[in-house]
Amino acid sequence: MKIITKGSILATAGSLLLGAGLAVSSISAGQAQPVAQQVHSDKTKKCNQSAACFAAFNYGDGQGVVGYSAHLIGGEFEDGYADGIGVLGEDLSGAGFPFVGQSGGYEDYMESNGDFEAEGYMYAYGYEYLLGARHPGPHVAAFMPAATRATLEDTGTARLVGGESAVRFDGTFGKSIDAGKGYQVFLTPDGDTRGLYVAAKFTGGFIVRETMHGRSTLDFDYRVVAHPSGASEERLPTVNPKRPVISAQ
């Protein structure tokens, strides 16, 4: 599953702060019924049309759609007693979008294959995230690296011949960075050598040479850390995300 953002990501992990939206797919005869219909079939609106089956408009300052999943005790929501789903969106066709949110000209959506795309900033809070494969298997908690500035990295292996090598950026990577703002190169030789250094940097790549006029021939690994094209240069920017206000219904 890939996560693509058309803006900057400020995240360590935790719950994502996203725009609210709801996508509803029409259901044709013979298709499997979604979980929502299996549980609350008497409250499910069924239709067969090209427009949305359900739409909610709120012309005030409240929410358009709010979903709760909790155990109600004495008129108050009690945590820890519910395993349900507050809002469920399913795409039964396998080619649509189970979730779409729009706000202020920005759009967030999830594709049927589980990929999520968001325009603008995404915020996450916490220290770890859940890492798992798309196929059944164990899930593990892993830590996410963080940077003080927006960066875009690339790694690879190149060949040093007679003490020198010219490394050219991949075309897509080269168009995605602003090489004019500088970039860093980290080298690791895959064998015995007197030492390697970056002799020159260009917008399309860099030159590596062996120290002390060495003439070795061997492979070396490299890591390039560059500035993404169009990204902010601010270091550790202060953020104060506007959280949605959920009022009692």
Side-chain angles (χ1 to χ4, degrees), residues 27 31-40 44 88-92:
I27 303 173
Q31 288 182 311
Q33 299 300 300
V35 176
Q37 289 192 351
Q38 293 173 1
V39 178
H40 299 294
T44 300
L88 173 66
E90 281 191 85
D91 167 47
L92 301 181

Side-chain angles (χ1 to χ4, degrees), residues 74-178:
E76 297 183 356
F77 290 113
E78 191 76 16
D79 294 334
Y81 285 89
D83 294 322
I85 300 174
V87 176
L88 173 66
E90 281 191 85
D91 167 47
L92 301 181
S93 68
F97 302 93
F99 171 87
V100 175
Q102 293 177 323
S103 178
Y106 292 93
E107 184 174 275
D108 309 326
Y109 59 88
M110 178 177 290
E111 300 180 35
S112 58
N113 61 2
D115 296 339
F116 183 81
E117 184 162 339
E119 296 177 323
Y121 288 93
M122 290 178 59
Y123 301 93
Y125 301 91
Y127 297 96
E128 58 190 29
Y129 67 100
L130 192 63
L131 177 65
R134 301 188 67 170
H135 302 287
H139 291 78
V140 296
F143 291 93
M144 182 182 298
T148 58
R149 293 184 178 91
T151 59
L152 185 62
E153 301 187 14
D154 194 18
T155 60
T157 300
R159 184 75 172 169
L160 192 78
V161 178
E164 184 175 282
S165 176
V167 180
R168 294 178 176 82
F169 292 148
D170 170 80
T172 303
F173 178 74
K175 294 177 182 179
S176 302
I177 65 172
D178 188 348

Side-chain angles (χ1 to χ4, degrees), residues 11-243:
T12 50
S15 58
L16 297 182
L17 219 58
L18 307 173
L22 180 65
V24 183
S25 302
S26 59
I27 303 173
S28 302
Q31 288 182 311
Q33 299 300 300
V35 176
Q37 289 192 351
Q38 293 173 1
V39 178
H40 299 294
S41 59
D42 58 327
K43 297 181 180 181
T44 300
K45 177 178 177 59
K46 298 181 180 181
C47 67
N48 188 0
Q49 57 191 34
S50 57
C53 294
F54 171 80
F57 293 91
N58 187 342
Y59 294 100
D61 57 1
Q63 294 79 39
V65 176
V66 175
Y68 293 102
S69 175
H71 186 65
L72 196 61
I73 298 180
E76 297 183 356
F77 290 113
E78 191 76 16
D79 294 334
Y81 285 89
D83 294 322
I85 300 174
V87 176
L88 173 66
E90 281 191 85
D91 167 47
L92 301 181
S93 68
F97 302 93
F99 171 87
V100 175
Q102 293 177 323
S103 178
Y106 292 93
E107 184 174 275
D108 309 326
Y109 59 88
M110 178 177 290
E111 300 180 35
S112 58
N113 61 2
D115 296 339
F116 183 81
E117 184 162 339
E119 296 177 323
Y121 288 93
M122 290 178 59
Y123 301 93
Y125 301 91
Y127 297 96
E128 58 190 29
Y129 67 100
L130 192 63
L131 177 65
R134 301 188 67 170
H135 302 287
H139 291 78
V140 296
F143 291 93
M144 182 182 298
T148 58
R149 293 184 178 91
T151 59
L152 185 62
E153 301 187 14
D154 194 18
T155 60
T157 300
R159 184 75 172 169
L160 192 78
V161 178
E164 184 175 282
S165 176
V167 180
R168 294 178 176 82
F169 292 148
D170 170 80
T172 303
F173 178 74
K175 294 177 182 179
S176 302
I177 65 172
D178 188 348
K181 288 185 169 60
Y183 57 88
Q184 289 75 48
V185 181
F186 303 90
L187 306 173
T188 303
D190 295 339
D192 190 15
T193 175
R194 296 179 178 179
L196 304 179
Y197 70 97
V198 178
K201 294 180 180 179
F202 307 98
T203 57
F206 54 93
I207 294 177
V208 176
R209 292 196 179 109
E210 187 175 9
T211 60
M212 301 177 64
H213 304 287
R215 304 288 295 172
S216 298
T217 297
L218 74 162
D219 291 340
F220 64 92
D221 302 325
Y222 63 86
R223 172 171 164 254
V224 180
V225 181
H227 185 82
S229 179
S232 170
E233 297 182 61
E234 192 174 0
R235 180 181 180 276
L236 289 174
T238 301
V239 295
N240 185 23
K242 181 180 178 182
R243 300 171 183 268

